[in-house]
Amino acid sequence: MTPARAQRLTLVGSVLGAAVVALDGTVLTVAQPSLRRDLGTSLAAVQWTTTAYLVTVAALLVFAGRLGDRFGHRRVFAIGAIGFGVASAGIGLAPGIGWVIGLRVLQGVAGALLQPATLGLLRAVYPADLLARPIAWRTSAIGLSAAAGPLVGGALTAQLGWRSVFFLTIVPAVVAGVSALLVRLPPSAEGTAAEAATAADTAAAPAPGAGLDLPGAGLLGGALAALVFTLAEVPEHGLSPTVWLGLAAATALGTAFLRHERRTRHPLLPPAVLRTPTVAPALGVLLTASAALFGTLFLVTYFLQDVLALDPLASALRALPLALAMVVAAPVSAVLSRRHGPRRTVVAGMSSLTLGILLASGFRPDTPVLMTSAAFLLLGTGFGAVMATATTAVVRAAPLGTAGVAGGLQQTAMNIGPALGVAAATTLAAGHPPAETLVPALTALAAVAATGTFLATRLPAAHRPTAPAPAPAPAIRDAER
């Protein structure tokens, strides 16, 4: 297979995989009321269809990335994509809420396998200096899916019922998986570098599971699961004793994980990733940007529906400029980053995001549509540029043999950030009507975005040379052969 053909097939699979996950999250939100009525279940049970998925994904993302580094991103991606489609079909046929929740857990496992591999595959087949553009297209696909989700989901639910929204993702998920299986990567592209590093230490072929750091994966997964579950509880229950207990559990597990990583011979998070000066600030930027954006959207959505009395469809249409701007900003940011460097590009994007939040804090019942559209345009432009450029910085800076772990860290930041932002927005708005909370709450979220702007100044002014992968050991046979 020629390199150009491998790149095209990989890009198709990566874009479809990322789009399927983004579409699934948005269409489910629209379908939940219909699901509740049809299955005759409680609001708390329906909420678990989202929480169970989020907790599962958060717990497994980094470990799934490690699996891709060890056994090959192509195989892990294909299993995740096809598994995601099969789970979607099962949910569409589920006879009760228990089945839906259980299958959402399985879908979370598939999603965790799928998401880091979308980045690991791109890192494997594209030269470092050409990586920004495919990641930008992936970001645009996520923005387009986020925009289409509420509209398509609402139309399908109204005409065909809630089950139809799950059938929607089956075909693209399977196509993404098959596209990955058709790719033939060079022997040095994936699945060898992590094994070579292990072999260099052991001077022998690794035993099954060696180098995967299963205890570390359990500790990190438990810490992230506890954190995401706790953050998901805040909007409904506030700072309850359960929330404080969850935060304590996440802190204890996280501390144990850090101690374990310092002592183990083969840590889950390789030092080659953590010591890269670009990775930490880029992850901080993604975390703060997603927290600030999704916290803002949470409050603004309540404002549009409760104060302006817009229905969900009209509210989604009012916010449409955000998604459209994100679709355009991502590929444009790839060009800007190449010309002006990731630091300037991300600083400009974070500044746009901060300005959009401050503009949204001034929303009033008589605010003209032009002003709301301008705020959403600033939010989408800033977030699209930041997400594409910072993601490229993370994946590009990591050595080839740890691209899956880097992708897992990026996806973890993008999963925790929104939960953190919504929890913060809920806490800031507690006890106040929507019309009175925008100024203080969004000012605080703008400060979060400004923190991300400061972190962006730590990014390199220009793309640094990519860290080389360790040379493969002769005793190790490539996972893709």
Side-chain angles (χ1 to χ4, degrees):
M1 177 177 292
T2 64
R5 180 173 173 79
Q7 288 175 357
R8 286 194 297 270
L9 284 173
T10 300
L11 182 59
V12 168
S14 179
V15 167
L16 279 177
V20 162
V21 174
L23 184 65
D24 176 82
T26 53
V27 298
L28 176 61
T29 302
V30 176
Q32 280 180 334
S34 175
L35 183 153
R36 180 187 177 190
R37 290 191 298 269
D38 185 44
L39 297 181
T41 189
S42 66
L43 180 62
V46 171
Q47 193 62 33
W48 265 101
T49 63
T50 297
T51 303
Y53 175 84
L54 292 176
V55 169
T56 304
V57 168
L60 296 176
L61 277 170
V62 176
F63 182 62
R66 185 65 167 165
L67 288 175
D69 289 332
R70 178 64 190 279
F71 299 109
H73 299 296
R74 184 174 67 92
R75 290 176 179 173
V76 171
F77 177 88
I79 292 171
I82 295 173
F84 198 95
V86 171
S88 295
I91 295 170
L93 300 171
I97 189 64
W99 281 94
V100 174
I101 294 172
L103 287 166
R104 283 290 283 172
V105 171
L106 293 178
Q107 195 174 46
V109 174
L113 294 171
L114 165 66
Q115 293 181 63
T118 64
L119 296 170
L121 277 173
L122 293 177
R123 176 71 174 84
V125 302
Y126 280 90
D129 57 341
L130 299 179
L131 192 59
R133 183 169 295 178
I135 289 181
W137 286 116
R138 175 184 176 276
T139 303
S140 293
I142 292 173
L144 186 61
S145 298
L151 304 177
V152 175
L156 285 175
T157 302
Q159 298 298 320
L160 302 174
W162 66 269
R163 298 179 187 274
S164 61
V165 303
F166 290 100
F167 295 138
L168 178 66
T169 59
I170 296 174
V171 173
V174 173
V175 170
V178 172
S179 297
L181 291 175
L182 293 176
V183 176
R184 290 293 179 268
L185 301 179
S188 61
E190 65 161 340
T192 58
E195 294 179 3
T198 301
D201 289 336
T202 61
L212 293 180
D213 188 16
L214 297 180
L219 290 171
L220 179 60
L224 293 174
L227 178 60
V228 171
F229 172 76
T230 301
L231 293 175
E233 289 288 294
V234 172
E236 186 173 354
H237 302 291
L239 297 177
S240 64
T242 301
V243 169
W244 289 113
L245 183 62
L247 290 176
T251 302
L253 289 168
T255 302
F257 169 73
L258 293 176
R259 293 185 63 186
H260 169 80
E261 290 294 282
R262 287 196 297 266
R263 297 176 178 179
T264 187
R265 186 175 184 182
H266 303 295
L268 178 66
L269 300 180
V273 175
L274 300 180
R275 291 172 185 166
T276 304
T278 301
V279 171
L283 291 175
V285 165
L286 290 169
L287 183 70
T288 53
S290 58
L293 176 69
F294 282 87
T296 298
L297 292 179
F298 180 82
L299 294 176
V300 168
T301 299
Y302 272 96
F303 175 83
L304 294 176
Q305 296 188 14
D306 292 353
V307 177
L308 299 187
L310 300 178
D311 60 36
L313 178 59
S315 178
L317 290 173
R318 184 70 64 92
L320 191 59
L322 183 151
L324 296 178
M326 183 176 168
V327 170
V328 176
V332 171
S333 71
V335 178
L336 295 176
S337 181
R338 186 169 62 251
R339 292 180 180 177
H340 305 291
R343 181 190 299 167
R344 291 182 179 180
T345 304
V346 177
V347 166
M350 291 302 300
S351 300
S352 174
L353 181 63
T354 304
L355 184 58
I357 296 171
L358 291 174
L359 191 60
S361 70
F363 285 180
R364 300 291 182 271
D366 58 349
T367 298
V369 174
L370 185 62
M371 179 176 172
T372 61
S373 297
F376 285 124
L377 279 171
L378 287 169
L379 292 172
T381 300
F383 190 70
V386 167
M387 184 176 174
T389 308
T391 298
T392 301
V394 171
V395 178
R396 190 179 189 276
L400 181 59
T402 60
V405 170
L409 290 172
Q410 186 271 349
Q411 289 294 316
T412 298
M414 295 302 298
N415 276 265
I416 292 177
L420 184 62
V422 171
T426 304
T427 303
L428 292 167
H432 302 284
E436 298 176 6
T437 60
L438 288 185
V439 172
L442 294 191
T443 300
L445 291 172
V448 173
T451 302
T453 306
F454 170 75
L455 292 173
T457 63
R458 304 285 303 277
L459 295 174
H463 284 299
R464 292 171 175 165
T466 305
I476 304 304
R477 185 173 58 189
D478 181 60
E480 291 298 334
R481 290 182 177 176

